[in-house]
Amino acid sequence: MRRGLPGLLLFLFISAVYLYSFPQSNVFYAAIVLLHAVAGAVAVVLLAVFLVRFLRDGSMASRLGWSLVAAGSIVGVILIKTGTPRVQWNLLYLHILLSLAGLGIVFAEWAGRRGRLRQGIGNSIIRCAICLLVLAGLGAGARYLRESRWRNQARIENPSMPPATMNGEGDGPDGPFFPSSAQVQGGQKIPSKFFMESDSCKRCHEDIYNQWFSSAHHFSSFNNQWYRKSIEYMQDTIGTKPSKWCGGCHDPAVLYSGLMDTPIKQIVHRPEAQAGLGCMMCHSIADVKSSMGQGDFYLEYPKLHELAATKNPIARGLHDFLVKLNPEPHRRVFLKPFMRDQTAEFCSSCHKVHLDIPVNHYRWIRGFNEYDNWQASGVSGQGARSFYYPAKPSQCADCHMPLTRSSDQGNIGGVVHSHRFPAANTALPTANEDAEQLKITEDFLKSGILSVDIFALSPARAPLKPGVANQSDLSTTFAVGEEAETKIAPGEEAEVLPFTAPLNRVQPTVRRGDTVRVDVVVRTKKIGHFFPGGTVDAYETWLELKGTGDKGQTIFWSGSVDDNGKGPVEKGAHFYRSLQVDAHGNGINKRNAWATRAVVYVHLIPPGAADTVHFRVHIPEDAGDKITLHARLCYRKFAWWNTQFSFAGVPDPNQPGDVTPDYDDRKFAFAGSLKGVSAKEERIPDLPIVALAEDEVTLNVAPHNAPVQEAKTVLQADDWQRWNDYGIGLLLQGDLKGAQAAFEKVTAIDPKNPDGWVNIGRAAVQEGDMDRARTVLARALSLNPDLARAHFFYAKVLRSDGRYDDAADHLRKVLAQYPRDRVALNDLGRILFLQRKYADAVNVLQSVLAVDPEDLQAHYNLMLCYKGLGDEKQAHEHELRYLRFKADEASQAITGPYRQLNPEDNNERQAIHEHVSAPLTSDRADTYRRPVPAERNSSNQRASAGASR
């Protein structure tokens, strides 16, 4: 027995090195884990028998070594009982250190007895030191193999060149999942049950499972009536194969098993169609190929999952024991490093999409996109030109997977990331009658992520005449923010009229019979992407302004809702959405994105920015002495029309029309059967309207013959952000003079705040007033010599002067702080091109494609650079990509008839426009359905919104 102990210890040492260095999910590794535990238990028994003899007969070093081995063995026995989850890592590493140190000393003494540095205490110390140093080196190497190589191999990196057509994405036209970009390792299909066995995860992760069960991820597929109707309509219109474009992210149990070749109406009630996104969908993603989205990932099918999900209690118990004993292989299969370290890129694989010919029979066009505007913003910490920056950068999980208390396996410090994924879907918990999920969602929406500020009042200008807004540069159904440089066209506001602000400081007076303009500012505060995000053509987000006299009468109402708050929103409201039309100018309102041919308008607010909304308010002659203005930012998912269509929409037989992949001229009636709809009750749900933010001010009312109150502004230190927000909103809509006037108030409040000077410079650059821009930007740099956004805009001035070297130097200062700012990289590349430094320009522009392979400007400039280098082949490749991603400039002609028939939408399309009150019938004036209120702003709340200078 004594002779067998060294062999056992040698096996334990070798197996420990293997288990630590090469964790992997296969039968061989699992067998070694089990053998290591068994051998360790046997070794403990033998040590118990012979330890006294070892301690009695051995040298001092030998006794120390065997004592450490014995201590390590005791810890090992404890670990067999407790397992080695994260909370036991201290014990695990104590076991490793004690055992290795003890074995090293015992081996050193054994070597000494064999004649290696045999005599003396000093030689014994040297032997032990050599052995321990060798073991330390071995440990460092094992650590590298375990961690560093693993993390470096599992990073998300973009290809140097995107495909020239959609046929080059995923498995291509002959692939089983195309036009989704998703692929499965080995080119195989995956059994449906793999995605339907989330309950097997519940054994160890019960809290997470229960959170997921209520989440929008769980109801992503045909257990979601809105999605179900959209796919049924899509397959009826353009066939089953294009619907795989959706299935890659929505319907794993259907798509990856091959079931999506069957029309979904035939299988909609099968368990596979009701599974949604289970645990295995996200956690079996082994590799994300790029940040281009569209399901651009590889899935893997771990065979050992069949052991985890087996109904055999013995096999299942063995699996659970092995996972508990050594959870590292399990963690590596289901929690890749990019899921923590590159959360946004991981999420981009489904939260960023594009359409192209195999889906829309038209051309490339951007769908929704949560990633690019986050990446380019201050929220990510990667954008150099943001108006505001949070205290520290944030990724998706920081907001949408908040930490919550849990005792689940894998918790860290008693918390896990919530798998409810709180965001903005109030429709699903309403349809599912899940009150807890609905409350969590509403609380999230009302948690101060936005603010509303009824800020300024001025005399009404002459009514603005809607013109032909130039939106032909839109190659997207989404908005363009800081991820691309867009020229802000100066609006029609020729002069800045005197205005009164902030209204809660001034207590303004208006006269009966007068018409005034009220400016309301909506600001994104704790949002890392455009507001609103997601499928912005599918739901309703609007700013409501209601004026009520002290006699109780409604004197103004923009953004009212019909049918006591249950019906459509008034068409003249100020909406935040993407309004698209098909080839015949019909609105895209059935989630039929494939039919989009033109965008009427896109109104979204970038992260850390603002929108200034103008209302034209008439003060009636019979108004009382006071008018209360109440503004609410309202949200309803989904749009009223889409909900009616999704549950009961059928073509109206009395108004037939043609339908093709390009358009649908039919009219729809909401008279279809509700039997079998994917909801808790067979009825059309009444979706809640949530007030995301609100504000209220009171105006004094004077007689018509009273003197006109002079415009008045009050400047207080804690209002600087309010003035800044007001200017940002004006700047982004092209009111450059108004924006500069607002930013000047920021500098008046605090001349040492560089934000005001930088923003005046932004407006001056857009206006082409480079002399003024040079002065104010120099002032900003004198206050903060390292301010990246000041250097960026100062480079614009220098470039306009032809001082290319100096402009490039300022851009390099920007990129030293923000090396992934695409616009700064593009600007530097363009300057190098203008200097005919083509090779240098190519290197810089390739860095843009490393951030976004679909960047239009980078491909255009690379095309020019390669032509300058005489490389026609590469120039042609980038020309193909430029033409693929470029907008169809002729498509805006489609919007003309629609805008003539819908003057409210034509008004909304104008960069600078005003909203008037809806007709105040007695029913509308008396009915005011108040949504769940948000906390109102106070001046302190407004001023303390976390921005850094």
Side-chain angles (χ1 to χ4, degrees):
M1 291 177 62
R2 183 175 178 180
R3 292 181 178 179
L5 183 59
L8 274 177
L9 294 179
L10 180 62
F11 170 77
L12 288 170
F13 173 75
I14 294 173
S15 62
V17 171
Y18 167 70
L19 293 175
Y20 186 82
S21 303
F22 305 102
Q24 49 200 299
S25 181
N26 56 45
V27 173
F28 179 77
Y29 186 92
I32 298 299
V33 170
L34 191 59
L35 286 173
H36 185 86
V38 171
V42 173
V44 168
V45 173
L46 294 178
L47 275 174
V49 173
F50 297 111
L51 183 61
V52 173
R53 187 182 305 175
F54 292 155
L55 295 178
R56 184 186 62 206
D57 299 340
S59 65
M60 182 180 297
S62 178
R63 290 197 294 271
L64 174 62
W66 284 114
S67 297
L68 290 175
V69 170
S73 299
I74 293 171
V75 176
V77 171
I78 295 172
L79 290 174
I80 292 175
K81 172 66 176 176
T82 65
T84 59
R86 186 182 294 271
V87 293
Q88 301 295 347
W89 277 6
N90 288 338
L91 274 182
L92 171 64
Y93 281 100
L94 179 63
H95 167 66
I96 293 172
L97 290 173
L98 289 173
S99 300
L100 284 179
L103 287 174
I105 294 171
V106 168
F107 178 80
E109 287 302 292
W110 175 84
R113 291 196 300 271
R114 296 299 185 274
R116 307 295 184 186
L117 297 174
R118 188 170 184 178
Q119 300 297 323
I121 296 176
N123 288 338
S124 178
I125 293 174
I126 292 172
R127 287 197 306 271
C128 292
I130 291 173
C131 288
L132 292 177
L133 284 173
V134 169
L135 288 174
L138 181 65
R143 180 73 178 177
Y144 170 79
L145 293 172
R146 178 184 175 91
E147 296 294 340
S148 300
R149 189 183 67 163
W150 160 248
R151 291 188 174 278
N152 292 335
Q153 284 179 343
R155 288 197 59 79
I156 301 172
E157 296 181 352
N158 282 314
S160 58
M161 184 78 79
T165 70
M166 198 176 207
N167 289 344
E169 298 172 5
D171 289 323
D174 296 329
F177 315 129
F178 186 81
S180 171
S181 295
Q183 296 173 272
V184 174
Q185 288 184 343
Q188 61 184 330
K189 293 182 180 178
I190 299 177
S192 292
K193 65 177 184 177
F194 176 68
F195 300 104
M196 300 166 61
E197 295 172 327
S198 295
D199 56 343
S200 67
C201 304
K202 185 179 180 180
R203 300 199 300 271
C204 295
H205 307 288
E206 184 172 5
D207 290 338
I208 287 175
Y209 173 85
N210 291 334
Q211 294 158 6
W212 161 83
F213 194 83
S214 291
S215 74
H217 278 194
H218 180 200
F219 295 95
S220 69
S221 192
F222 305 106
N223 51 1
N224 171 340
Q225 182 61 30
W226 289 271
Y227 177 75
R228 169 184 165 182
K229 181 72 171 187
S230 70
I231 299 300
E232 290 174 346
Y233 173 76
M234 182 181 193
Q235 292 186 347
D236 288 345
T237 307
I238 59 175
T240 57
K241 184 166 184 175
S243 68
K244 295 180 182 181
W245 173 72
C246 308
C249 286
H250 280 267
D251 315 301
V254 179
L255 177 66
Y256 298 112
S257 64
L259 279 175
M260 209 155 188
D261 292 313
T262 303
I264 200 61
K265 286 182 177 179
Q266 299 178 21
I267 59 172
V268 71
H269 294 297
R270 284 178 54 164
E272 296 92 335
Q274 300 291 311
L277 286 180
C279 306
M280 297 305 162
M281 175 58 202
C282 295
H283 287 283
S284 67
I285 293 177
D287 179 36
V288 177
K289 296 173 283 181
S290 74
S291 63
M292 290 186 284
Q294 200 65 29
D296 200 17
F297 49 68
Y298 271 105
L299 293 174
E300 66 176 346
Y301 177 46
K303 294 292 186 180
L304 288 184
H305 170 75
E306 296 176 10
L307 187 61
T310 180
K311 302 302 181 184
N312 184 312
I314 296 175
R316 189 171 64 236
L318 177 62
H319 169 272
D320 291 354
F321 171 74
L322 289 172
V323 169
K324 186 178 180 182
L325 190 61
N326 186 348
E328 188 64 19
H330 179 81
R331 184 171 74 94
R332 294 200 173 200
V333 169
F334 296 114
L335 192 63
K336 302 294 190 297
F338 55 72
M339 296 179 184
R340 290 185 179 276
D341 303 335
Q342 294 178 283
T343 308
E345 287 74 17
F346 174 53
C347 296
S348 77
S349 60
C350 281
H351 291 269
K352 176 181 177 181
V353 302
H354 59 268
L355 301 87
D356 212 329
I357 294 170
V359 180
N360 63 10
H361 306 277
Y362 174 45
R363 56 165 295 129
W364 188 94
I365 188 169
R366 169 67 66 209
F368 77 92
N369 181 359
E370 308 289 40
Y371 175 75
D372 284 349
N373 49 93
W374 167 85
Q375 186 278 322
S377 75
V379 178
S380 71
Q382 300 177 39
R385 297 156 291 109
S386 290
F387 294 104
Y388 296 108
Y389 288 81
K392 63 178 183 178
S394 298
Q395 297 200 73
C396 310
D398 295 316
C399 294
H400 298 294
M401 297 184 72
L403 294 175
T404 183
R405 301 299 303 178
S406 174
S407 59
D408 279 359
Q409 295 293 319
N411 77 80
I412 301 176
V415 296
V416 297
H417 285 282
S418 173
H419 283 61
R420 286 184 181 274
F421 308 103
N425 197 319
T426 54
L428 286 172
T430 300
N432 296 333
E433 299 183 9
D434 187 338
E436 183 179 6
Q437 180 74 6
L438 179 60
K439 182 180 186 304
I440 289 171
T441 304
E442 290 182 340
D443 289 346
F444 176 82
L445 289 169
K446 296 181 293 177
S447 62
I449 58 177
L450 298 114
S451 65
V452 170
D453 188 359
I454 306 175
F455 185 74
L457 183 146
S458 59
R461 298 153 173 78
L464 297 174
K465 296 181 179 180
V468 180
N470 179 19
Q471 299 212 5
S472 62
D473 61 336
L474 288 178
S475 58
T476 172
T477 62
F478 216 63
V480 177
E482 291 171 293
E483 71 273 16
E485 188 169 23
T486 55
K487 176 68 176 176
I488 298 175
E492 297 180 5
E493 303 288 86
E495 58 178 324
V496 180
L497 296 182
F499 58 90
T500 296
L503 296 187
N504 68 320
R505 306 286 192 202
V506 177
Q507 297 181 341
T509 298
V510 295
R511 302 187 309 174
R512 298 182 183 93
D514 283 357
T515 300
V516 296
R517 185 163 95 170
V518 176
D519 292 340
V520 181
V521 180
V522 180
R523 154 89 183 274
T524 53
K525 290 186 174 180
K526 296 189 295 182
I527 298 179
H529 48 72
F530 277 116
F531 170 79
T535 52
V536 290
D537 60 310
Y539 39 84
E540 294 161 325
T541 309
W542 72 100
L543 182 64
E544 177 190 75
L545 182 67
K546 185 178 185 183
T548 307
D550 54 4
K551 299 177 182 179
Q553 77 276 32
T554 301
I555 64 103
F556 183 91
W557 199 350
S558 173
S560 57
V561 181
D562 289 343
D563 191 18
N564 194 26
K566 298 179 181 179
V569 182
E570 175 240 326
K571 282 180 64 67
H574 184 77
F575 287 99
Y576 295 100
R577 63 178 176 180
S578 171
L579 179 58
Q580 307 155 38
V581 293
D582 66 20
H584 280 189
N586 304 299
I588 299 295
N589 53 12
K590 298 177 281 294
R591 296 301 299 119
N592 49 329
W594 70 85
T596 295
R597 296 296 180 268
V599 178
V600 179
Y601 67 80
V602 179
H603 277 174
L604 306 177
I605 308 176
D611 180 38
T612 300
V613 188
H614 311 296
F615 295 94
R616 190 179 187 86
V617 180
H618 178 71
I619 311 301
E621 294 287 357
D622 60 351
D625 295 329
K626 292 185 181 296
I627 294 175
T628 299
L629 295 178
H630 190 91
R632 304 181 304 165
L633 184 60
C634 298
Y635 171 83
R636 177 167 63 187
K637 182 164 186 172
F638 289 89
W640 177 86
W641 197 98
N642 184 257
T643 296
Q644 305 301 307
F645 169 78
S646 297
F647 279 77
V650 292
D652 187 344
N654 299 318
Q655 301 184 69
D658 295 332
V659 56
T660 75
D662 300 308
Y663 59 85
D664 188 346
D665 291 339
R666 298 174 296 176
K667 303 298 181 184
F668 283 81
F670 306 134
S673 171
L674 294 172
K675 184 174 179 56
V677 294
S678 297
K680 190 75 174 288
E681 300 288 340
E682 292 181 339
R683 59 182 177 85
I684 302 176
D686 178 19
L687 300 182
I689 296 172
V690 181
L692 309 182
E694 50 192 317
D695 193 25
E696 188 173 279
V697 299
T698 299
L699 309 179
N700 298 313
V701 181
H704 183 66
N705 57 3
V708 176
Q709 184 184 49
E710 292 186 6
K712 181 181 180 181
T713 57
V714 175
L715 304 181
Q716 295 188 7
D718 55 0
D719 282 340
W720 81 266
Q721 282 192 40
R722 298 176 68 191
W723 284 102
N724 203 43
D725 295 343
Y726 183 53
I728 291 168
L730 296 174
L731 172 67
L732 294 180
Q733 64 190 223
D735 185 356
L736 303 180
K737 293 187 182 298
Q740 291 187 61
F743 296 140
E744 285 169 358
K745 302 296 186 184
V746 177
T747 62
I749 290 173
D750 183 3
K752 294 182 179 180
N753 179 356
D755 280 333
W757 302 109
V758 170
N759 290 339
I760 294 172
R762 288 181 195 246
V765 166
Q766 291 291 347
E767 197 172 20
D769 188 350
M770 296 302 176
D771 289 335
R772 188 178 194 205
R774 183 181 295 103
T775 301
V776 295
L777 292 170
R779 178 70 178 271
L781 287 170
S782 71
L783 295 169
N784 187 345
D786 296 324
L787 191 61
R789 51 192 182 273
H791 282 288
F792 175 82
F793 291 105
Y794 199 71
K796 295 280 190 188
V797 176
L798 295 172
R799 176 176 160 181
S800 73
D801 293 341
R803 297 167 58 185
Y804 293 154
D805 286 333
D806 292 337
D809 288 342
H810 280 272
L811 287 173
R812 290 188 180 99
K813 292 178 180 178
V814 175
L815 294 168
Q817 300 176 56
Y818 299 95
R820 285 172 58 85
D821 187 290
R822 288 160 50 184
V823 175
L825 286 167
N826 269 319
D827 277 13
L828 178 57
R830 181 67 179 179
I831 287 172
L832 293 171
F833 165 76
L834 294 173
Q835 293 180 302
R836 299 189 178 184
K837 298 177 180 179
Y838 300 129
D840 293 338
V842 165
N843 290 333
V844 171
L845 294 170
Q846 290 288 359
S847 299
V848 179
L849 298 186
V851 179
D852 179 20
E854 297 165 318
D855 189 281
L856 185 70
Q857 187 175 349
H859 284 294
Y860 177 75
N861 285 325
L862 281 165
M863 174 186 70
L864 298 180
C865 288
Y866 279 115
K867 286 184 176 180
L869 290 169
D871 189 339
E872 292 297 330
K873 183 177 183 296
Q874 282 295 317
H876 179 66
E877 292 297 325
H878 286 286
E879 182 180 11
L880 289 176
R881 274 72 177 175
Y882 171 71
L883 293 175
R884 182 187 181 196
F885 303 135
K886 186 177 183 296
D888 178 4
E889 297 178 358
S891 68
Q892 281 298 302
I894 300 172
T895 69
Y898 177 90
R899 290 186 285 117
Q900 288 180 334
L901 294 172
N902 298 273
E904 300 92 348
D905 293 329
N906 190 43
N907 178 61
E908 190 79 349
R909 175 185 168 93
Q910 312 309 309
I912 303 174
H913 61 274
E914 294 177 332
H915 294 273
V916 298
S917 177
L920 296 175
T921 62
S922 58
D923 290 342
R924 187 183 297 272
D926 294 339
T927 301
Y928 183 44
R929 187 191 190 204
R930 179 177 293 274
V932 183
E935 292 186 8
R936 292 182 186 167
N937 283 331
S938 69
S939 57
N940 291 335
Q941 287 173 322
R942 296 187 186 106
S944 63
S948 61
R949 294 182 183 178

